[in-house]
Amino acid sequence: MKRSGTLICSILFFYSSVLHAQKADTSDTRYRPLLHFTPKANWMNDPNGMVYYKGTYHLFYQYYPNGNVWGPMHWGHATSTNLMNWKHGPIALYPDSLGMIFSGSAVVDKNNTSGFGTKAKPPLVAIFTQHNEAARLKGTKDFQNQSIAYSLDEGKTWIKYANNPVLKSPGLVDFRDPKVAWNTAANKWIMTLAVADRIHFYSSPDLKNWTKESEFGEKAGAHGGVWECPDLFPMKHEGKEVWVLLVSLNPGGPNKGSATQYFLGDFDGKVFHPYSTETKWIDYGPDNYAGVTWSNTRDKTFFMGWMSNWSYAQVVPTTTWRSAMTLPRELRLEKTGNDLRIASWPVKSLLPILSGTAISKGMGKSPYELFSKIKPSGVPCQISLSAALHSFSLRFSNEIGEELLIGYDQQLNQYYIDRSKSGNTAFHAEFPLKAVAPRISLADTIKLSVVVDRSSVEIFADKGLTAMTALYFPSGAFTKAELISGMPFKFDAVELTYLGKR
């Protein structure tokens, strides 16, 4: 095992008022992300109905417009042409006599199987769970049912189907979060539905009439809590089709609370056959939940998660708004030894907006101060490094002694995010933790990319084989970044890259 090597660090700073046009509020400006999607105001959780159509990415999301904690759910709506610049739209779906609008998906019905549009003008169809709280309070078990709505103006307005619900609960309490996709081989729509602690698969020729096909998960994966927000989609690896099944779990994540696991296998239009039933996590951090992929993106697979955790989501120290989404990520399949894994990476739409100049070369002694020439104040950054396999950490800190540590422990072969001294952590007992994740790569060189925003960090290790996401809430902006190691290290280059003019 090598004990020395070269560290190559590039630091990329973004002025994301260009990226993310949204007004900052007066009370929470220091916490509102600049790179990540947030609602203009009030409560947000799961991403929903993510679909790409005619050059536009649609993001719907669980939304309560009348408060900053969870309440009667609506579908909020935003659109983008590049997954980074988001335009807020009006609320898409409101609760009605059948219940609140819980999580679900949206599809382009290009063959007009539903009959809502025409082949020349196909409809967008949203499929979602309606939660009837009054029925739940009466003690009934069939208070969650699946309904649909359609749009004939490319997602701007929505009409609910007159004969909702299209799939009624068979007396099961947790019966929700439909993810629907067209299966070409089976020539039918497939619905992937979360039911208690497993998945049910349904099929339909027209999005209105559904038949149960099979179940999966009774003895597979993690079962520390309820299964939610599933997603089933194919990907390619070395020319072979591999089916991916995402399943969110609450609680029972690898670092407590909420998290999203995945399975790889085959799907024959009826039954999902996993290659393995072991637990694998798409993100090991504490703050990536309910993530799903955009539909209708052809050979690309784009993913986004809710950047929070149900353990403390309603008590984090923001007031006028609550919650953000992760950076959108592109997923791919990667082989490590004999094991096949999902790897994730921020979308490429970040790259064209960057420009910069190398400002530092030479030797460094630990701690090596990365922000020694220019000290940003609350400006997001990305730090990418390559190093030989040994322990190190990145320390972000401010003038009042708060710090965020991100690094690799060689003895334990783990990456970590330590936010125990990062600022305001007292609002929940489980928040000030040191989150850890296994190093999955078998290479003898570490590659790490860290994206730091005002109140969040996302790390992508070894080309994204290990990903972690975590929130933090400092009292003041981190203005200092240091690379710490038990040995001297040499930088080939340090590059500061800015978006726009300072």
Side-chain angles (χ1 to χ4, degrees):
M1 188 173 294
K2 296 181 179 179
R3 296 296 301 171
S4 63
T6 301
L7 295 172
I8 305 171
C9 297
S10 62
I11 306 177
L12 313 175
F13 295 93
F14 316 115
Y15 283 125
S16 51
S17 57
V18 179
L19 281 176
H20 197 317
Q22 58 185 10
K23 294 182 180 179
D25 57 67
T26 56
S27 62
D28 296 322
T29 299
R30 69 181 184 274
Y31 295 147
R32 187 186 282 273
L34 294 176
L35 291 176
H36 298 77
F37 178 82
T38 58
K40 283 185 176 180
N42 299 312
W43 172 267
M44 176 184 76
N45 56 288
D46 306 355
N48 296 153
M50 299 182 349
V51 61
Y52 177 73
Y53 188 56
K54 291 189 174 181
T56 297
Y57 295 93
H58 292 266
L59 168 64
F60 300 90
Y61 51 89
Q62 292 285 277
Y63 186 55
Y64 180 49
N66 299 319
N68 67 356
V69 294
W70 189 94
M73 287 291 98
H74 302 55
W75 268 23
H77 186 204
T79 56
S80 174
T81 58
N82 63 3
L83 292 171
M84 288 303 302
N85 305 72
W86 291 99
K87 180 179 179 181
H88 294 280
I91 292 173
L93 295 173
Y94 288 79
D96 57 31
S97 61
L98 295 178
M100 309 175 196
I101 312 297
F102 272 21
S103 291
S105 52
V107 298
V108 180
D109 185 12
K110 63 180 181 180
N111 294 320
N112 193 36
T113 63
S114 63
F116 293 141
T118 65
K119 284 192 175 182
K121 190 176 182 180
L124 296 181
V125 180
I127 309 95
F128 48 91
T129 298
Q130 291 207 261
H131 174 97
N132 191 322
E133 182 65 6
R136 187 190 72 84
L137 292 173
K138 289 180 181 178
T140 63
K141 293 185 177 180
D142 56 351
F143 54 84
Q144 291 185 343
N145 303 288
Q146 317 316 313
S147 293
I148 60 176
Y150 61 95
S151 174
L152 301 177
D153 57 6
E154 300 178 18
K156 297 181 180 67
T157 61
W158 293 83
I159 303 166
K160 290 176 182 172
Y161 179 46
N163 294 323
N164 279 334
V166 295
L167 178 58
K168 295 182 179 180
S169 171
L172 299 171
V173 171
D174 297 306
F175 190 76
R176 57 177 181 263
D177 308 340
K179 184 65 188 289
V180 172
W182 180 257
N183 188 291
T184 303
N187 197 36
K188 57 188 176 183
W189 297 100
I190 298 296
M191 177 191 292
T192 308
L193 196 69
V195 183
D197 65 345
R198 64 201 65 182
I199 299 301
H200 288 190
F201 295 105
Y202 288 80
S203 67
S204 173
D206 57 9
L207 296 167
K208 300 173 183 176
N209 301 283
W210 294 92
T211 301
K212 185 178 177 181
E213 298 288 358
S214 65
E215 297 183 14
F216 168 77
E218 181 181 4
K219 298 179 180 180
H223 286 268
V226 175
W227 284 20
E228 297 184 305
C229 301
D231 194 358
L232 178 71
F233 52 91
M235 295 181 71
K236 292 285 188 180
H237 181 258
E238 297 179 348
K240 178 184 177 182
E241 184 176 74
V242 177
W243 284 84
V244 180
L245 176 62
L246 304 181
V247 179
S248 288
L249 175 72
N250 178 52
N255 282 287
K256 297 186 178 181
S258 316
T260 301
Q261 59 186 318
Y262 69 90
F263 306 90
L264 304 178
D266 298 317
F267 183 70
D268 60 10
K270 292 179 178 288
V271 178
F272 178 73
H273 303 277
Y275 299 153
S276 169
T277 57
E278 70 175 299
T279 303
K280 295 179 179 178
W281 304 100
I282 201 163
D283 189 302
Y284 285 85
D287 295 306
N288 186 345
Y289 188 63
V292 289
T293 61
W294 268 271
S295 66
N296 202 42
T297 55
R298 297 187 179 181
D299 59 340
K300 297 290 186 179
T301 304
F302 299 122
F303 168 96
M304 178 182 277
W306 175 45
M307 196 160 61
S308 196
N309 190 308
W310 275 117
S311 293
Y312 43 75
Q314 299 190 87
V315 295
V316 295
T318 63
T319 54
T320 62
W321 59 278
R322 281 257 168 82
S323 297
M325 299 299 182
T326 68
L327 286 175
R329 307 173 182 185
E330 184 171 352
L331 305 183
R332 72 181 190 282
L333 293 172
E334 190 84 17
K335 198 76 172 288
T336 57
N338 294 321
D339 199 13
L340 193 61
R341 296 268 183 168
I342 289 181
S344 60
W345 199 257
V347 292
K348 292 181 179 178
S349 52
L350 279 173
L351 298 179
I353 59 176
L354 303 177
S355 62
T357 305
I359 65 163
S360 179
K361 293 183 179 181
M363 297 294 294
K365 291 184 178 181
S366 181
Y368 184 92
E369 188 172 349
L370 300 177
F371 294 165
S372 58
K373 293 193 175 183
I374 299 177
K375 295 182 181 294
S377 179
V379 178
C381 70
Q382 175 174 304
I383 298 176
S384 299
L385 63 86
S386 176
L389 200 63
H390 62 82
S391 298
F392 66 89
S393 62
L394 286 163
R395 180 169 64 196
F396 295 86
S397 60
N398 56 26
E399 295 179 354
I400 57 178
E402 295 170 342
E403 65 179 27
L404 175 72
L405 292 174
I406 299 152
Y408 170 69
D409 185 319
Q410 183 181 9
Q411 183 176 359
L412 298 177
N413 199 31
Q414 290 179 338
Y415 294 101
Y416 60 86
I417 300 173
D418 187 347
R419 63 185 180 191
S420 60
K421 299 178 182 178
S422 62
N424 188 346
T425 64
F427 53 86
H428 194 278
E430 290 186 4
F431 190 80
L433 87 167
K434 179 180 180 180
V436 299
R439 183 171 190 267
I440 297 170
S441 173
L442 302 178
D444 61 1
T445 300
I446 286 177
K447 295 183 182 297
L448 186 68
S449 181
V450 180
V451 180
V452 181
D453 207 339
R454 281 177 168 172
S455 58
S456 67
V457 59
E458 295 173 75
I459 72 173
F460 304 90
D462 305 315
K463 300 182 180 180
L465 276 172
T466 299
M468 299 182 75
T469 304
L471 299 174
Y472 62 94
F473 299 97
S475 302
F478 291 147
T479 56
K480 189 175 184 179
E482 300 167 292
L483 186 54
I484 302 169
S485 176
M487 54 187 293
F489 35 78
K490 179 182 178 182
F491 294 99
D492 284 347
V494 177
E495 183 179 13
L496 276 74
T497 305
Y498 295 92
L499 172 66
K501 297 180 180 179
R502 286 182 60 87

